[in-house]
Amino acid sequence: MKENERISGKALIPFLVFIVVYLFTGIMLHLRGVEMAFYQLPAPIAAFVGIISAFILFSGSINDKFDNLIEGCGDSNIIIMCLIYILAGAFSTVASASGGVDSVVGLGLSFIPARFLTAGVFLIACFISIATGSSVGTITALGPIAIGLANSGGINLFLMLGALVGGSMFGDNLSVISDTTIAATRTQNCDMKDKFRMNIKLALPAGIITFILLLIFGAPESRPNQAALSYEIIKVIPYLFVLVVALMGVNVFLVLTGGIVLSGVVLLMNNGFNLLELSQTMWEGFTGMFEIFLLSMLIGGLSNMVTKEGGINWIISKIKKFAKGEKSGEFGIAALVSLADVAVANNTVAIIISGPIAKKMCNEYKVDPRRSASLLDTFSCVFQGVIPYAAQVLIAAGFTKGAVAPFQIIPYFWYQFILGIISIISIYVPFTSAKDKWNFEYDMPESKIADHIKVLEDNGKVQA
């Protein structure tokens, strides 16, 4: 049997080893009362254990298996993803050091009427997470303010925390610099702006419904201390630049580099930094992405080994038993990434694991890869924003200093539940479909094929 025709359930064991090691460690530490239990074992270590098991279980010589590992680690999509990660990390760190996050928070709260505070926290969390690409960063920055507003304004604390986490997941799902967006679009070989256009059709209705519900049920009794609402417009500009220019379709490397430059200028002008300190801050951003950088490479290598051994084909062969076409294929992709996120409690890791399988399912069931990227990101964010052992939920509950347990907030995750319902409906009522169809022969939208062929002609690859 040819290598690409192999079908082997045994080939998935290394993936299961990775997930079980990661999940079992988290459960045991949680039972012992360790804080952030599911984040104590670095995910790359669990991935490395999975790779070792692949070398033990798979057939072939050590050299062949090592070549497959390196081929996967060095895949162009993996390398591009990793480079985007470090640039996004640098931008986020430099912009934050310049006071950008505080200014975004202050700007939003300054213009929100008192009766809209709970809905306002949701709205600000949406904006910050879109601008920064980090749900955890958004909760960390806005959490103390949200708790203070709830305590001083007579707001239901559970509802406020639910609004905070929901808003942070809104932006995590949509942001062009979010690691989930990067992972989803690179594994499916599609543009960020195209995935955004599909995602916004899911996230915006869910966000509007959640906002209206929070206006109705989240009215407070007082206004926050005005001293906490200072802001400087110049510090918000880098975030606006990255958001607007990225949505215009500019190359993501240019977008992030421009954001770093603008944030660096603000930092040098207003914070007394010199060029050396700026470079150290950028390096801090690079190193802050090291774990996800390394994990992406290791999972890329492991995925390639599993694929060569027939693991992906085995999954698809099982899905074929219930998948009859595009809709059931989409449902399979959604279920796959949801289960992966429940297992590893990390939406980016869930996408990295599920992405290669989803891409193959796209070809099998003619699912638009832009739609697949949207499903991967959306359903991973839905479950990441609901499971009580996810970092986002643990951090939000942690701000209450034991007054609220993570499990108590689950009924108030209105945005995540609404987004999940709308996303499931979209599988059977395809209102997110792109105007131009995807051409699977060229693996790109039909609108880009003419330009692609012209490039090939210019390079002598095809005859005009």
Side-chain angles (χ1 to χ4, degrees):
M1 182 176 292
K2 294 181 180 179
E3 187 176 74
N4 60 359
E5 295 178 352
R6 290 181 182 175
I7 299 177
S8 172
K10 175 184 174 182
L12 294 172
I13 292 178
F15 262 149
L16 294 177
V17 169
F18 161 61
I19 292 173
V20 169
V21 168
Y22 194 81
L23 185 62
F24 179 77
T25 303
I27 292 174
M28 292 303 296
L29 293 175
H30 177 73
L31 293 176
R32 294 179 181 179
V34 177
E35 293 185 4
M36 302 292 290
F38 286 85
Y39 296 85
Q40 295 301 314
L41 175 67
I45 300 300
F48 186 62
V49 175
I51 290 172
I52 292 174
S53 69
F55 271 84
I56 295 172
L57 294 171
F58 291 174
S59 59
S61 67
I62 292 294
N63 288 338
D64 288 341
K65 286 182 277 192
F66 186 74
D67 288 343
N68 290 335
L69 173 67
I70 298 304
E71 180 185 351
C73 291
D75 180 82
S76 60
N77 284 323
I78 295 293
I79 298 301
I80 291 171
M81 188 191 308
C82 290
L83 291 175
I84 295 174
Y85 282 149
I86 63 173
L87 288 177
F91 168 70
S92 178
T93 303
V94 174
S96 179
S98 70
V101 173
D102 293 336
S103 284
V104 170
V105 172
L107 177 64
L109 288 177
S110 295
F111 290 93
I112 296 175
R115 64 185 182 278
F116 299 154
L117 278 178
T118 308
V121 167
F122 173 77
L123 198 62
I124 295 171
C126 290
F127 180 68
I128 294 175
S129 55
I130 287 178
T132 63
S134 172
S135 54
V136 170
T138 299
I139 293 171
T140 302
L142 194 55
I145 296 174
I147 299 298
L149 293 177
N151 290 334
S152 63
I155 302 171
N156 183 316
L157 184 56
F158 302 116
L159 186 59
M160 179 62 83
L161 292 174
L164 173 63
V165 176
S168 72
M169 299 314 298
F170 176 92
D172 195 336
N173 180 217
L174 287 177
S175 176
V176 292
I177 61 171
S178 167
D179 48 6
T180 58
T181 294
I182 295 166
T185 54
R186 293 315 309 174
T187 58
Q188 304 309 294
N189 191 32
C190 64
D191 291 336
M192 291 185 180
K193 63 177 181 178
D194 293 332
K195 178 258 186 187
F196 179 89
R197 289 168 182 164
M198 288 197 169
N199 262 34
I200 195 68
K201 296 175 185 178
L202 302 174
L204 187 59
I208 291 174
I209 294 172
T210 303
F211 184 76
I212 292 172
L213 290 175
L214 291 173
L215 287 178
I216 296 172
F217 298 103
E221 297 176 356
S222 63
R223 179 73 173 162
N225 188 342
Q226 294 295 320
L229 306 181
S230 61
Y231 63 89
E232 296 179 54
I233 291 296
I234 191 173
K235 295 181 179 180
V236 181
I237 291 176
Y239 290 113
L240 294 176
F241 168 83
V242 167
L243 179 62
V244 173
V245 177
L247 294 180
M248 291 171 59
V250 177
N251 181 281
V252 66
F253 290 99
L254 295 178
V255 172
L256 290 173
T257 301
I260 292 169
V261 171
L262 283 176
S263 298
V265 170
V266 173
L267 191 61
L268 293 171
M269 289 174 56
N270 294 279
N271 295 72
F273 273 54
N274 56 41
L275 288 174
L276 182 59
E277 291 171 323
L278 172 60
S279 67
Q280 292 170 343
T281 303
M282 291 175 60
W283 176 246
E284 181 184 341
F286 285 172
T287 56
M289 302 299 285
F290 174 74
E291 181 173 343
I292 192 65
F293 183 107
L294 181 58
L295 178 63
S296 297
M297 292 189 66
L298 294 178
I299 291 294
L302 180 58
S303 296
N304 193 55
M305 295 180 73
V306 169
T307 300
K308 292 290 180 70
E309 195 70 12
I312 305 302
N313 286 337
W314 185 86
I315 291 176
I316 293 177
S317 71
K318 296 303 178 183
I319 292 176
K320 280 182 179 178
K321 293 182 178 180
F322 74 85
K324 304 300 181 182
E326 183 180 349
K327 288 183 174 60
S328 51
E330 289 186 3
F331 188 85
I333 292 172
L336 178 67
V337 74
S338 300
L339 290 172
D341 189 77
V342 170
V344 301
N346 186 307
N347 45 349
T348 305
V349 175
I351 292 171
I352 293 171
I353 293 173
S354 308
I357 303 174
K359 181 59 176 173
K360 201 157 187 176
M361 290 173 64
C362 287
N363 296 327
E364 186 77 21
Y365 302 107
K366 305 305 178 188
V367 175
D368 189 326
R370 296 167 292 188
R371 170 66 171 163
S372 176
S374 175
L375 290 172
L376 287 171
D377 202 345
T378 299
F379 278 93
S380 68
C381 283
V382 166
F383 280 86
Q384 184 69 15
V386 171
I387 53 177
Y389 48 88
Q392 290 84 347
V393 181
L394 291 173
I395 293 171
F399 281 123
T400 67
K401 298 180 179 180
V404 175
F407 289 94
Q408 293 177 289
I409 319 173
I410 293 177
Y412 297 88
F413 291 142
W414 296 350
Y415 170 75
Q416 292 90 307
F417 294 137
I418 295 169
L419 177 62
I421 292 170
I422 291 176
S423 299
I424 292 173
I425 292 173
S426 74
I427 294 176
Y428 301 98
V429 183
F431 57 86
T432 67
S433 299
K435 293 181 180 179
D436 57 336
K437 293 184 179 180
W438 190 271
N439 188 296
F440 290 91
E441 179 182 355
Y442 289 93
D443 198 23
M444 63 177 60
E446 290 181 347
S447 59
K448 293 185 178 181
I449 292 177
D451 292 336
H452 176 67
I453 293 177
K454 186 177 185 307
V455 171
L456 293 177
E457 291 174 349
D458 292 344
N459 293 331
K461 299 289 181 63
V462 297
Q463 293 182 351

